[in-house]
Amino acid sequence: MAATAATDVYRQGAMGQALKDTLDELCQSQQITPELAAAVLRQFDRSMASVMESQLKNKISFRNGDCKTYKLNDNVWDIRLAQVEVTNESDRFTLDKLHIVAADAKCFS
């Protein structure tokens, strides 16, 4: 079940990993086909992207960070910052390290 860098954003989380493990077990016991497992993972990717877009409305801003690394791979940005001032609707704080992974939602459709 190959994935792109964009889908790895969701699949590497706890829910995605649990889903992959369960699908692997079902395939090994021949309860489902690998094709069905792949279809389930594709639907998971689409569903996660939809939820992120429609239901998460929190906004944060950050500044004064020292950019340690950044890269763009398969339409996914991977950015690592240090000493970042973060502000949300009610708080302001400084993080020693911040790792941002951002993917274009169009990659999941």
Side-chain angles (χ1 to χ4, degrees), residues 31-104:
Q31 292 179 297
I32 65 171
T33 65
E35 293 79 16
L36 179 57
V40 169
L41 283 173
R42 285 191 302 274
Q43 182 58 51
F44 173 77
D45 297 335
R46 286 190 297 270
S47 296
M48 289 298 294
S50 175
V51 166
M52 295 293 179
E53 183 178 349
S54 66
Q55 295 184 17
L56 297 180
K57 301 298 180 190
N58 293 349
K59 295 182 182 181
I60 64 167
S61 61
F62 49 91
R63 63 181 180 184
N64 300 333
D66 181 20
C67 185
K68 296 298 184 184
T69 64
Y70 65 94
K71 63 184 173 182
L72 176 63
N73 185 24
D74 291 336
N75 292 319
V76 176
W77 279 103
D78 187 305
I79 305 166
R80 294 176 190 264
L81 305 168
Q83 298 304 313
V84 181
E85 183 178 309
V86 179
T87 306
N88 66 15
E89 295 171 356
S90 60
D91 296 310
R92 175 176 286 178
F93 49 92
T94 300
L95 298 174
D96 293 334
K97 297 178 183 177
L98 177 62
H99 182 195
I100 300 169
V101 179
D104 187 343

